[in-house]
Amino acid sequence: MEYRFSEIEERVKNFWKEKNIYRVGNAESGKPKFYVLDMFPYPSGAGLHVGHPLGYIASDIYARFKRMKGFNVLHPMGMDSFGLPAEQYAIQTGQHPVITTEQNIATFKRQMDQLGFSFDWTREVRTSDPKFYKWTQWIFIQLFQSWYNNSTNKAEKIDSLISEFEKNGNKNISAATDQSEIFSADGWKSFSAKQKSDVLLNYRLAYIADSWVNWCPALGTVLANDEVKDGVSERGGYLVERKLMKQWSLRITAYADRLLQGLNDLEWSDSIKEAQRNWIGKSEGASVKFKIAEAHSTLLRRGAGGEEEKNSDEEKSPGYLSGDTTIASHLLKFAKENRRNPTEAEEFLWEEIRNRKLVDKFRRQHLIEKFVVDFVCLEKRLIVELDGAHHKSNKEYDEARTKILSELGYKVLRFWNEDVLKKTKKILDIISAELRLRDSVLTLNPSPKERETDADDLISINISIEVFTTRPDTIFGVTFLTLAPEHELISHITTDAQRKAVEEYVTYAKNRSERERMTDVKKITGVFTGAYAVHPFSGKQIPVWIGEYVLASYGTGAVMGVPGHDSRDYGFAKHFNLEIIEVVSGGDISKEAFEEEGVNVNSSFLDGLKTADAKKKSIDEIEKLGIGKRKINFKQRDAIFGRQRYWGEPIPIYYNEEGIPNTVDEKDLPVLLPEVDKYLPTENGEPPLARASNWKYKGKYNFEQTTMPGWAGSSWYFLRYEDPNNEKDFVSKDAINYWQNIDFYIGGAEHSTGHLLYFRFWTKFLFDLGLIPFDEPAKRLVNQGMIQGVSQKICKWGAAFVKGPDEDLGEKMAITNGIYYKHGDTLLLCQMKNQSHIFYSADMIALFPNIFKINATPGEVLFAKANNIIPPEKILTPSNIPVEFINDESGLEFKKFIDWYKVFNKLNANIDGHDKKFLLDYENTVFACEGGYWKYQNGEFAFEKLAGGSSVFKNFSIVEKMSKSKYNVVNPEDMVSKYGADCFRMYEMFLGPIEMSKPWDTKGIDGVSRFLRKLWKLFYDDNGNWSVTSEAATTEELKILHKAIKKTEDDMEKLSFNTSVSSFMICVNTLTELKCHKAEVLKDLLLILSPFAPFTTEFLWREMKQEGSIVAAAFPKVREDLLVENSFEYPVAVNGKTKTKITFPLDKEILEIEKEILATDAIQKILDGKQPKKVIVIKGRMINVVV
RNA sequence: ACCGGGAUGGUGGAACUGGUAGACACGCAGGACUUAAAAUCCUGUCGCCCGAAACGGCGGUGCGGGUUCGAUUCCCGCUUCCGGUACCA
């Protein structure tokens, strides 16, 4: 027969199905196990594109190879089926995400099966399947019920912590915790249930806390730091704002050190390991407090009515302080000193509140910024103040105070003491009503404005600034301190003289976008606060500055400036002319900062010490003075775990009558996603699950309303494949003991700091609880490169012409920073990479007077900062258009494109991203082309000519990530129907090393297609007749075969699939030349090819009447004896340049070779009578004659 | 800016631990078969030079140095591209 791949694929598929060939058993197979896993895909609506299969093909080849090598191979596939796109689609269409997801999965599976992957679909897992997420929820419960014991360095059950509390309080506990104050066993026992719960939350690995998050109002959800790019959401580009919310978080920081250490033993790529190390970002050093000189300490007004109660929250739990934490302790002490007896009214109202006549939690005598207020509900930002008679005389002060608190976002209710006692119910009603009105989710207000102070009411407080440093040894080199512009103490220490400058600078820094900071890194900015700090050892006064190079989010938001030994401090000091002192010798600090280690000088008691010793000594001294301590800082922060979304796993938590979070009973799992009317957040900003009616636990308790993030299911899914249908356990002991962890994991490098960290974290946690026998999920990890698409772009709003006077400037800028094409001598520039500058020609400016609103002389080049002249949305942007409208000869088929464009427009009003704008206003869009513009006029697009231009449209292409929104997706189905699955598989492998990214290009696929037909011809002659013979093979033929076997086997472990494909080609080419149709050779050839081309080889295997399926056959053994050569053709070089080749037996003595070589004519001729200095002979390699 | 990985013919790429640079393909050119096309097959294909040819000469793996008998491979200094991180004190 002829090579008809579609028929072959059909028949082979049926055969495999009949035989259930890919079913994988467990230990009963008696074989050693091998676990090969792909990162499972999110089943998007676009289906698979040619980039997806790259990793799947590689892992499939590897899995098939391992199977042939006698392993019981687990090679499953599943779906990461919770995610935002399905939810977005549901929001737009009202269709339940279950339905969309189901449809998408069906497409994905069909496409995968076409490619002949050896997945055992009976082991499929889907993260959105309740049978699966039941166990995701179960693991969450385990996290909630655990704490991290630093003494044993592992997670333990929370019960062990509670029993320790009962015995000794928390003084002996060393834990990963937010709990900072100590309590005794009696203290613990005296706590209320709510208090106990709050304390335990500070220890649990899954905990709830108020935290600042990135809130995206448009998506109605919280985004992780790595999902926010340049202040907008990565997906969709919506604005993101900082907001304070109650959030479920996972205490991954407890594992920071182990996640770091564990990397050393993994067979992962260096780049991924390095990325994880940097992400965790461990640095060792010290924290040091610098006192602000007395004269600059702020004078603070004492709080009105500020009574301090012994058992107030502040004392027990500083974690709840909402005041300025640095001055808090001083203020609290002050409040105590000025204690007065609580008024009857206060006592009374407190009792009323405590008896839970009000739902929300109130705190008493709480510190807010600089005031102690009587009662406050932090969640709703409601303050209740009670005034006695003496306050009546102080009206102005109260008003000022109320004003400041309102600016902070608080509502202040003020009542007379007498009224509280007489009209209790009414007052409680007012408070309740106010509480109901206030949103529990609050936006941060701008920093409080300073208020006028009244000298009579001032007190003086000592302020100190805490810094973190990795070089405490350079402490004598400190000549200034720098604070982040956001630093909370700035307003307290700034002198009046500097206040204006500081305010201006802080405003400037706040308005600086990420992008601006990115583009001018070298720019040094800062301002002096006017205040001085005192050096703890020398007593010298050192200025305190503010600089945007200091980040508020890392360390303490303040650094000690050591310009001699830190390059950023050096730049800052040079720029502002600050003192630079050398304290470590070895460099030349007049030129640059010396950051290496050396010997201390000018450093008092550290003089003469080497850096390492100086570090130690300096920290010892710092600790002695009580102004700081040894400290390890991590960049990594705890992972926020709650999402304000519908399409995710519900968090298995409910709240009891007292508002205490409890876990749902295991027997009640899974907590199913409730039905809702809409998939949007509620009008009050509550998550979508709040829409569910009658969704109560045990009929009365409220469930947690946020859901888990996308990475929850993927953090443990690999375990479930081992035992996918177990209803009693997340995975059985038997299965886990047999299959263990992943031997070979493959996926994209973009998950290096997300999924790959969380998945290691969960594995370590499950290991700590003794649930699994290993603490790393994947032994070997390979990252496949991205297959990029070639997108076609056109320019809207026309393009810019760059002409003289400085041709170079135009061309160079365009080539390195933007996308361009040339039109004669004119460079047509479409977009600058950083978008900060765009060239426009005067012609263009003249053409669009309404856009540019400036005058220009024809021929002039305008070098314009885009946002100065044109509103940002009018900036010229290239836009992607579907590849199918591009004709190789004539460029864009404009009419066709426009027809599509109009229709598409109407259908896709809700498309994400910046293309949305492009698609929505085609009537206002102008398309640039060679020599003119297409403009929309009178209901049609018409061409408007510039002088001498043609109307041929010029598109241009660019290589970028394949994605639906870029219209550059190549569907594997098209490739499969055109060339066959085997050809597609082999071609993707032949493209190059799998780790490398490359653009998709079908140019070379014909070569692979020819190869398969050549292979076929070894089996069938030109007339389609079977031509395989049973003759014995010659040694030559066997040699060729075994060379290929050896090469394939070696390449397999290196995953060098591109070179194995070429060795198959060599083998088939040679066998064709030799006219070899011998079964003895062809049988083994099919075997080594079968991992790559499973359909064709299985078919021919059956035709050869071989036993069983080729999938289950053994990989052929290499006959090394055939590969041993007894002679070698030596390249002979003179001075390293190859001149000739001579063959010698391999066992010939080196000395003899030397002799003979020198005697040959060729060498004699080159030597030309000269004596060789030296002859180098390396057996089986080469010969070099040195003259 | 830092971290990681690259840069080899017209193109994708190959070259084991320092040992014949350009395997295997694509494309291109010429030829065979064919009425023709497709398909297939054969020949050539890093550049320059000499020549009828050569198993001739010279140069050549981003650039500049170095180590070595010998460097695509190792070292130093750059340029540039891709990916990651975001001034981490």
Side-chain angles (χ1 to χ4, degrees):
Chain A
M1 70 177 278
E2 276 173 68
Y3 183 54
R4 288 191 298 271
F5 51 78
S6 40
E7 184 187 328
I8 291 168
E9 282 166 23
E10 213 41 53
R11 281 165 68 177
V12 168
K13 239 182 263 173
N14 290 336
F15 171 73
W16 285 340
K17 211 170 171 188
E18 250 167 56
K19 299 262 167 184
N20 255 328
I21 207 79
Y22 298 124
R23 268 303 263 286
V24 181
N26 290 345
E28 70 279 2
S29 70
K31 291 183 197 167
K33 72 98 188 186
F34 201 85
Y35 189 176
V36 179
L37 188 64
D38 292 281
M39 289 182 191
F40 59 169
Y42 172 76
S44 77
L48 283 182
H49 59 65
V50 293
H52 277 119
L54 187 70
Y56 305 155
I57 296 169
S59 65
D60 191 56
I61 289 172
Y62 194 67
R64 285 172 184 274
F65 172 73
K66 283 285 170 186
R67 206 173 278 132
M68 292 176 85
K69 279 288 191 180
F71 289 91
N72 187 28
V73 177
L74 180 59
H75 182 221
M77 180 50 79
M79 298 289 158
D80 192 10
S81 46
F82 271 133
L84 202 51
E87 178 158 326
Q88 282 286 90
Y89 190 75
I91 290 168
Q92 285 164 22
T93 63
Q95 190 168 53
H96 199 287
V98 165
I99 298 166
T100 336
T101 304
E102 197 67 40
Q103 285 166 353
N104 293 348
I105 289 176
T107 309
F108 265 63
K109 285 176 76 169
R110 190 191 69 239
Q111 290 178 312
M112 286 181 179
D113 280 341
Q114 267 186 344
L115 293 171
F117 295 132
S118 58
F119 301 136
D120 177 357
W121 283 116
T122 63
R123 288 179 181 261
E124 179 188 358
V125 303
R126 297 180 188 181
T127 52
S128 62
D129 181 348
K131 288 200 202 96
F132 179 87
Y133 72 66
K134 168 180 176 179
W135 297 107
T136 311
Q137 291 174 337
W138 182 82
I139 294 171
F140 176 86
I141 291 173
Q142 308 312 307
L143 284 160
F144 181 84
Q145 299 296 7
S146 301
W147 63 291
Y148 198 87
N149 187 338
N150 282 335
S151 319
T152 56
N153 206 14
K154 67 191 192 83
E156 290 175 17
K157 286 284 181 195
I158 201 83
D159 306 347
S160 70
L161 187 68
I162 296 171
S163 61
E164 174 64 20
F165 285 171
E166 279 165 356
K167 264 185 245 144
N168 303 307
N170 67 348
K171 65 176 191 289
N172 300 329
I173 300 274
S174 168
T177 178
D178 298 323
Q179 180 77 18
S180 54
E181 94 255 355
I182 306 297
F183 52 80
S184 63
D186 288 342
W188 171 255
K189 284 172 199 152
S190 72
F191 290 166
S192 68
K194 175 70 177 157
Q195 285 168 327
K196 281 180 178 169
S197 162
D198 288 346
V199 168
L200 286 174
L201 279 173
N202 287 334
Y203 288 88
R204 295 183 192 273
L205 291 181
Y207 64 99
I208 189 167
D210 281 321
S211 45
W212 288 103
V213 295
N214 305 307
W215 171 250
C216 181
L219 297 174
T221 187
V222 171
L223 299 171
N225 273 331
D226 42 322
E227 289 173 312
V228 183
K229 293 260 150 75
D230 305 333
V232 296
S233 63
E234 197 182 26
R235 181 184 292 281
Y238 300 107
L239 271 179
V240 175
E241 61 193 41
R242 302 276 289 160
K243 216 169 190 184
L244 189 62
M245 289 179 96
K246 271 204 187 316
Q247 285 294 320
W248 281 96
S249 295
L250 298 188
R251 211 178 292 282
I252 188 173
T253 48
Y255 283 86
D257 236 341
R258 278 168 69 192
L259 288 168
L260 205 55
Q261 293 311 316
L263 287 171
N264 298 334
D265 306 322
L266 293 177
E267 209 185 315
W268 290 18
S269 75
D270 288 341
S271 58
I272 293 277
K273 287 199 208 175
E274 206 46 39
Q276 294 211 346
R277 284 192 192 106
N278 292 340
W279 186 265
I280 296 165
K282 181 178 183 172
S283 55
E284 290 176 47
S287 69
V288 189
K289 278 184 193 152
F290 285 79
K291 247 192 207 162
I292 292 296
E294 198 72 22
H296 301 288
S297 290
T298 302
L299 300 169
L300 292 162
R301 167 140 200 176
R302 68 190 176 94
E307 167 56 12
E308 177 64 11
E309 196 185 315
K310 211 172 195 156
N311 285 326
S312 73
D313 283 340
E314 284 84 358
E315 268 185 303
K316 277 206 298 281
S317 175
Y320 288 122
L321 281 179
S322 42
D324 179 320
T325 47
T326 313
I327 60 168
S329 51
H330 301 283
L331 206 51
L332 290 176
K333 257 179 226 144
F334 161 74
K336 273 185 201 166
E337 282 160 18
N338 292 285
R339 174 165 306 164
R340 65 175 164 82
N341 292 324
T343 62
E344 202 186 338
E346 272 187 309
E347 245 346 281
F348 181 75
L349 188 62
W350 183 240
E351 279 310 311
E352 290 294 306
I353 290 169
R354 195 174 274 184
N355 290 342
R356 308 202 186 281
K357 299 208 168 129
L358 295 176
V359 189
D360 293 271
K361 181 178 175 172
F362 270 81
R363 294 164 210 283
R364 188 181 187 189
Q365 300 304 334
H366 195 83
L367 183 64
I368 303 290
E369 193 72 5
K370 294 170 200 160
F371 306 104
V372 174
V373 300
D374 291 341
F375 299 100
V376 60
C377 170
L378 288 176
E379 283 143 38
K380 305 247 168 129
R381 296 220 168 178
L382 182 69
I383 291 168
V384 179
E385 300 253 56
L386 301 186
D387 295 335
H390 70 281
H391 263 98
K392 286 176 185 168
S393 59
N394 208 352
K395 204 173 148 226
E396 277 167 21
Y397 171 69
D398 284 341
E399 278 172 5
R401 174 177 157 127
T402 302
K403 192 165 163 261
I404 292 165
L405 288 169
S406 325
E407 280 163 1
L408 287 167
Y410 288 92
K411 167 90 180 185
V412 182
L413 296 178
R414 215 166 257 288
F415 304 105
W416 297 111
N417 286 340
E418 306 88 76
D419 290 344
V420 173
L421 297 170
K422 285 179 200 150
K423 308 174 190 165
T424 315
K425 191 170 177 306
K426 194 172 174 197
I427 283 176
L428 282 173
D429 284 349
I430 294 171
I431 295 172
S432 309
E434 194 59 41
L435 284 171
R436 274 196 303 275
L437 283 174
R438 295 189 63 83
D439 198 352
S440 66
V441 177
L442 291 155
T443 311
L444 176 67
N445 279 66
S447 71
K449 294 213 178 76
E450 288 303 305
R451 64 192 175 85
E452 294 302 314
T453 48
D454 176 350
D456 290 344
D457 264 346
L458 297 178
I459 57 156
S460 177
I461 289 174
N462 286 324
I463 298 177
S464 49
I465 288 172
E466 189 175 355
V467 302
F468 172 72
T469 177
T470 54
R471 292 293 299 271
D473 57 303
T474 62
I475 189 145
F476 285 95
V478 177
T479 57
F480 58 94
L481 300 183
T482 316
L483 308 182
E486 299 91 340
H487 200 281
E488 54 198 356
L489 288 181
I490 287 174
S491 59
H492 299 279
I493 63 166
T494 301
T495 59
D496 290 341
Q498 287 299 103
R499 189 164 302 280
K500 192 156 174 279
V502 166
E503 275 171 9
E504 276 170 14
Y505 183 72
V506 168
T507 313
Y508 153 83
K510 272 187 184 155
N511 290 342
R512 293 264 287 164
S513 71
E514 293 272 318
R515 178 159 291 205
E516 277 175 309
R517 288 188 180 201
M518 228 164 13
T519 44
D520 41 41
V521 192
K522 294 259 151 100
K523 193 170 162 188
I524 295 167
T525 66
V527 68
F528 179 43
T529 60
Y532 288 85
V534 182
H535 191 287
F537 293 112
S538 70
K540 270 209 289 203
Q541 296 237 328
I542 51 177
V544 180
W545 283 69
I546 302 169
E548 62 175 331
Y549 78 98
V550 179
L551 300 180
S553 63
Y554 180 77
T556 59
V559 300
M560 57 183 216
V562 187
H565 306 282
D566 179 281
S567 57
R568 283 173 318 238
D569 295 342
Y570 189 85
F572 197 77
K574 276 274 172 198
H575 192 265
F576 292 110
N577 214 5
L578 300 167
E579 196 186 357
I580 301 174
I581 308 177
E582 178 179 53
V583 290
V584 182
S585 63
D588 178 3
I589 62 157
S590 66
K591 290 201 188 93
E592 56 178 4
F594 177 67
E595 294 183 313
E596 280 144 64
E597 305 206 337
V599 176
N600 272 61
V601 292
N602 303 327
S603 298
S604 168
F605 56 84
L606 298 174
D607 278 345
L609 292 176
K610 284 191 189 145
T611 299
D613 301 330
K615 274 186 185 171
K616 223 165 154 200
K617 179 89 192 269
S618 58
I619 299 177
D620 289 348
E621 292 299 318
I622 288 164
E623 286 182 340
K624 249 187 237 165
L625 282 184
I627 53 161
K629 58 181 180 209
R630 207 164 253 107
K631 200 173 168 188
I632 292 173
N633 248 13
F634 290 97
K635 266 200 283 183
Q636 184 177 39
R637 271 165 252 154
D638 278 343
I640 293 173
F641 198 68
R643 294 291 130 105
Q644 324 298 112
R645 287 185 196 165
Y646 178 75
W647 193 228
E649 302 87 344
I651 292 177
I653 290 285
Y654 70 94
Y655 296 88
N656 70 7
E657 298 91 339
E658 298 168 85
I660 297 173
N662 278 290
T663 53
V664 167
D665 291 350
E666 268 181 43
K667 64 173 170 42
D668 296 322
L669 292 179
V671 177
L672 294 171
L673 262 177
E675 292 302 319
V676 292
D677 56 339
K678 270 192 212 160
Y679 303 98
L680 285 169
T682 66
E683 284 67 25
N684 321 326
E686 289 169 303
L689 294 192
R691 292 176 178 274
S693 50
N694 297 321
W695 191 48
K696 298 273 180 195
Y697 186 53
K698 297 189 170 161
K700 51 182 176 174
Y701 303 120
N702 284 330
F703 276 115
E704 168 62 35
Q705 291 174 341
T706 57
T707 53
M708 299 189 197
W711 48 269
S714 61
S715 294
W716 77 281
Y717 76 115
F718 74 102
L719 295 169
R720 189 64 179 173
Y721 287 126
E722 301 186 351
D723 192 10
N725 301 310
N726 193 333
E727 291 187 3
K728 295 207 181 71
D729 214 340
F730 73 112
V731 58
S732 70
K733 280 270 175 275
D734 283 351
I736 197 78
N737 285 332
Y738 176 64
W739 287 114
Q740 300 274 330
N741 50 0
I742 305 164
D743 293 284
F744 181 87
Y745 196 34
I746 186 164
E750 66 272 21
H751 298 110
S752 55
T753 48
H755 162 62
L756 289 173
L757 261 182
Y758 299 133
F759 142 97
R760 293 182 60 219
F761 160 43
W762 281 40
T763 303
K764 287 185 188 300
F765 168 70
L766 293 171
F767 172 78
D768 284 355
L769 294 195
L771 297 166
I772 56 176
F774 47 83
D775 80 337
E776 282 291 344
K779 290 180 207 153
R780 184 175 181 194
L781 171 80
V782 170
N783 297 114
Q784 92 259 23
M786 213 188 292
I787 291 203
Q788 291 140 324
V790 179
S791 329
Q792 297 293 337
K793 302 221 174 197
I794 54 172
C795 327
K796 55 164 188 164
W797 280 122
F801 291 114
V802 181
K803 286 184 187 172
D806 191 345
E807 201 88 70
D808 275 357
L809 176 70
E811 184 138 359
K812 200 173 171 208
M813 293 288 295
I815 291 166
T816 55
N817 288 338
I819 302 151
Y820 78 104
Y821 63 89
K822 253 185 160 173
H823 169 233
D825 292 336
T826 307
L827 203 58
L828 199 51
L829 178 79
C830 301
Q831 186 185 35
M832 309 298 288
K833 211 183 221 172
N834 59 25
Q835 286 208 348
S836 64
H837 296 91
I838 291 185
F839 293 102
Y840 293 100
S841 71
D843 300 325
M844 187 165 156
I845 289 163
L847 195 69
F848 303 111
N850 296 334
I851 302 171
F852 290 98
K853 293 188 175 122
I854 50 167
N855 295 318
T857 321
E860 187 186 340
V861 174
L862 289 176
F863 185 53
K865 238 197 163 138
N867 48 6
N868 287 348
I869 298 180
I870 310 153
E873 72 271 16
K874 301 287 189 194
I875 289 175
L876 171 104
T877 333
S879 289
N880 291 63
I881 54 170
V883 279
E884 58 262 32
F885 297 112
I886 304 301
N887 182 316
D888 284 348
E889 282 124 47
S890 58
L892 180 79
E893 297 187 32
F894 195 72
K895 300 270 184 212
K896 259 196 201 169
F897 160 66
I898 283 300
D899 288 344
W900 163 83
Y901 182 46
K902 286 181 191 165
V903 176
F904 190 83
N905 237 344
K906 284 181 194 139
L907 290 177
N908 288 276
N910 283 318
I911 259 191
D912 284 345
H914 83 272
D915 272 68
K916 182 177 177 180
K917 278 189 221 118
F918 166 67
L919 289 163
L920 283 178
D921 62 349
Y922 67 89
E923 298 198 359
N924 292 315
T925 304
V926 175
F927 297 101
C929 71
E930 198 178 7
Y933 303 92
W934 288 91
K935 269 177 97 175
Y936 193 76
Q937 286 170 338
N938 309 325
E940 262 320 314
F941 272 92
F943 182 63
E944 218 168 89
K945 206 171 158 181
L946 279 179
S950 86
S951 68
V952 175
F953 191 89
K954 285 282 180 189
N955 58 293
F956 57 99
S957 56
I958 183 174
V959 171
E960 58 187 351
K961 205 172 152 180
M962 231 179 234
S963 103
K964 194 183 175 187
S965 64
K966 296 187 166 79
Y967 313 113
N968 62 354
V969 173
V970 182
N971 186 329
E973 275 176 284
D974 299 342
M975 301 304 295
V976 169
S977 59
K978 204 163 164 195
Y979 293 98
D982 286 341
C983 183
F984 179 77
R985 288 169 63 108
M986 287 189 89
Y987 181 59
E988 283 222 357
M989 293 299 101
F990 190 53
L991 230 38
I994 56 161
E995 304 93 332
M996 225 184 253
S997 289
K998 54 230 145 190
W1000 176 251
D1001 183 359
T1002 52
K1003 253 197 265 168
I1005 199 165
D1006 287 334
V1008 177
S1009 176
R1010 271 172 215 155
F1011 161 77
L1012 286 169
R1013 281 195 297 265
K1014 267 189 205 167
L1015 171 75
W1016 189 261
K1017 291 227 164 120
L1018 293 175
F1019 294 82
Y1020 290 94
D1021 65 20
D1022 289 343
N1023 303 318
N1025 297 318
W1026 186 248
S1027 56
V1028 177
T1029 68
S1030 54
E1031 275 173 84
T1034 64
T1035 313
E1036 194 189 0
E1037 288 160 350
L1038 288 176
K1039 251 189 184 175
I1040 292 157
L1041 172 71
H1042 282 268
K1043 241 187 200 166
I1045 297 175
K1046 177 97 167 69
K1047 176 81 179 142
T1048 311
E1049 202 166 336
D1050 292 348
D1051 284 348
M1052 263 322 154
E1053 286 304 333
K1054 289 187 295 180
L1055 304 174
S1056 179
F1057 300 131
N1058 55 330
T1059 53
S1060 4
V1061 174
S1062 78
S1063 75
F1064 296 146
M1065 288 174 169
I1066 294 170
C1067 180
V1068 167
N1069 287 346
T1070 327
L1071 291 177
T1072 307
E1073 264 168 50
L1074 295 174
K1075 299 195 167 46
C1076 171
H1077 302 283
K1078 296 163 183 166
E1080 187 188 350
V1081 176
L1082 296 185
K1083 197 187 107 206
D1084 282 352
L1085 177 63
L1086 285 184
L1087 286 171
I1088 60 171
L1089 258 169
S1090 68
F1092 292 79
F1095 291 110
T1096 311
T1097 51
E1098 178 77 86
F1099 184 85
L1100 293 170
W1101 186 254
R1102 309 243 42 74
E1103 294 291 288
M1104 287 184 87
K1105 309 281 182 269
Q1106 293 291 333
E1107 279 292 309
S1109 162
I1110 197 164
V1111 175
F1115 199 82
K1117 270 215 153 54
V1118 183
R1119 273 181 59 189
E1120 298 281 355
D1121 60 305
L1122 287 167
L1123 301 178
V1124 176
E1125 302 284 344
N1126 42 29
S1127 66
F1128 180 77
E1129 190 184 42
Y1130 285 89
V1132 184
V1134 176
N1135 287 341
K1137 289 277 169 203
T1138 311
K1139 296 292 175 185
T1140 183
K1141 286 172 196 171
I1142 301 173
T1143 304
F1144 290 113
L1146 268 172
D1147 53 4
K1148 201 175 182 86
E1149 287 302 319
I1150 288 175
L1151 278 175
E1152 275 179 61
I1153 294 178
E1154 262 181 49
K1155 233 195 253 164
E1156 278 187 45
I1157 265 300
L1158 290 174
T1160 56
D1161 290 350
I1163 296 302
Q1164 280 301 327
K1165 211 175 120 194
I1166 293 162
L1167 285 179
D1168 196 23
K1170 280 174 276 184
Q1171 268 307 307
K1173 266 194 207 144
K1174 205 173 171 189
V1175 179
I1176 295 156
V1177 179
I1178 295 162
K1179 249 189 187 178
R1181 283 281 191 206
M1182 46 75 65
I1183 297 161
N1184 192 14
V1185 181
V1186 187
V1187 183

